[in-house]
Every structure is written in C-alpha cells, then in structure tokens.
Amino acid sequence: MKETEHTPTPSVAIVMVLYHPRKEDTERIMRLTEMCRGVIVDNSATRSFEEEHVGLMHYMPLLRNVGIAEAQNLGMRYVFDHTDATHIVFLDQDSDVPITYAEDIAKTFDSIKRDFPNLAFLGPKTENKETGKEYKSVIHKEKALSSHFILKREVISSGGCTTREILEKVGLNNSKLFIDYVDFDWCWRARSKGYVCGVTPDITIMHMVGQKTIYIGGYTIIVSSPTRYFYQFRNYMWLLRKNYVPLQWKINKGIKHLTQFIYFPVFIKSGTTCWKYMAKGFWAGLTRTSEKEYRTST
C-alpha cells in the first residue's frame, strides 16, 4: 500500500508536544498529520500553526510553556473526551517516523500484552540520531523476556505506546515535574501497581537526548541546555522522598549529579552557567519550591 493510501486506525491516537519547532519540524509534522489522528499540544509562546486542525490532528496552542508533563496530560484528556481511541502513542516534534508508526507500535503493544498481560508501556528501540548508536544504560543490564520484548525499569515516552485503560488505573503525568524524569516517574508508579514497562527491538526510532554528546576519557556525557539542570536537580530532590522510586536509581543518580556538580564548571563549555542552575535546582528541591515560585523569582 502506498503512503498516500494509508487509512489511520480510529483506535490509535497520537499525542505530540511542540516547543518552538523549527521549519523542518513543522513541515515533517504536516506530512505526518495528513495520515494520522490525535492532538498536537503547543507549548510555544506563539502559534506554530494557524488552523484549529493540522491535517487530521487537533491543534491546541497554549501560548505558554506549561511543561511536557502537563502538555501531555492535556493531550491525553483531549483524546479521552473527543475520541474513541484505546491506544495513545507519544511523539516529539523532531520524531521522524513513517506514517504507519503509531499503528505499528500499537499492534506490537497488543501482541506483547498477550504474553505479558501486565504490560503498561511499550517503547521502541531508541538510537542516537547523530551517531546511530542505541541508547543503553551503563548501569542496568537488559533483561529480554522474549525476542520481541525487553524489560525496562523506566522507558522514555518518545515513540512509546500505552492504553486508555492503563492510564485510568495508573494516572496521568505528575505535572509538578514539568519536564525531567516525567516518564520515569510514570513508569515507577505503574511498576508499584504491578505493571511492567519495556521496549521492543522490532521497532526503532531516532532520538536525540540532550543538546549534544561529548566524550571525555572514554566516557559518554550528554549535555543539556543549562536550564534543564534546574529541573533535573530539583526533581531529583523531590523524587528522593517517594517510596515507589527505586533505591538503586536514587543512589546512582545522586552520584551522577554530584560528579556533574564538580566537573561541569571545569570541563564543560557553559559549565559554570549549568552549575548555577544545578545549585538553584538543588535548593528548590530542598525547600520544595514550586514551578510557579521558581519562575516568579528568576
């Protein structure tokens, strides 16, 4: 079947979040939405599209940045209220996927769920769009439960699939987290309720974690924009207090953040600026500063 002959499945809806997309992003999105249903939630300060609908997808301009957690929540609520979709697939503005992607991963989700009924979230194999190498944890060893399913303690939301039924039982995102560890937190909450999450090697998506990747002494270091370190450090401090967050993650991430705090000002370009946001995030997490309070004070 040609791409132009593709008919979207009503049971599958895409939730896509935008934040000041580039021209090539909007052009790719427009091609995708001609064949896919769902909702685009725009965190940009100005509209990225003029119409209420972009192709077959509803366009929701917020005209302010409410964070990816709340933007996805708004998208999911729209799907619940305005469609009969049973499956939700999450995409980013830079997701370069075929028009059949949403249906493909939804079908794979259902296939794996037949063998693992407590499946809550399924992500694709994720590769670095610059290097082509798969993103893998250097700490956690993968546990393949079948040739189609690899168990993961946490899975990034980009390209992933879940269902309306699961979301009603686990709940939506914790919007207080704003951007960092949002998907991890959701997976841990699902795990605390007896569910499992994982990825399938049968489907691949190209993704870019952070702004750039650098290599120091054989170590791979992902560098994000300076402001992201505020959310990473603040959210880490918040998540330390949660019983459902794995102890191993708390320890490993604590060591990572401590070493970042030490070496960033010395080895990383703009590291001093990042360090300042780390310090602000640590203090905000320690004092339980909210997003609204933080934005008012900066």
Side-chain angles (χ1 to χ4, degrees), residues 9-15 38-39 75-90 106 109-110 113 119-121 160-172 186 195:
T9 304
S11 62
V12 182
I14 291 173
V15 171
V39 57
M76 287 185 277
R77 291 189 186 105
Y78 178 88
V79 170
F80 293 162
D81 294 341
H82 296 88
T83 78
D84 295 324
T86 56
H87 293 65
I88 292 179
V89 176
F90 300 95
F109 179 99
D110 288 342
K113 192 173 177 64
L119 177 65
F121 193 88
C161 176
T162 187
T163 67
R164 181 191 296 250
E165 179 185 8
I166 294 295
L167 288 165
E168 288 172 348
K169 294 178 179 178
V170 176
L172 303 185
W186 190 92
Y195 293 102

Side-chain angles (χ1 to χ4, degrees), residues 208-266:
M208 186 66 186
V209 178
Q211 282 193 328
K212 60 181 178 180
T213 303
I214 62 175
Y215 305 91
I216 298 179
Y219 290 93
T220 301
I221 299 172
I222 296 173
V223 181
S224 302
S225 63
T227 55
R228 289 291 294 270
Y229 292 101
F230 169 84
Y231 299 106
Q232 290 176 18
F233 276 67
R234 185 201 64 176
N235 292 355
Y236 171 74
M237 295 300 295
W238 282 357
L239 291 169
L240 276 178
R241 303 181 178 103
K242 302 295 185 181
N243 293 330
Y244 59 79
V245 177
L247 177 61
Q248 185 185 31
W249 182 87
K250 293 178 180 179
I251 295 172
N252 292 337
K253 189 59 67 173
I255 294 172
K256 178 181 178 179
H257 283 332
L258 178 60
T259 55
Q260 286 177 323
F261 199 74
I262 295 171
Y263 74 77
F264 256 59
V266 180

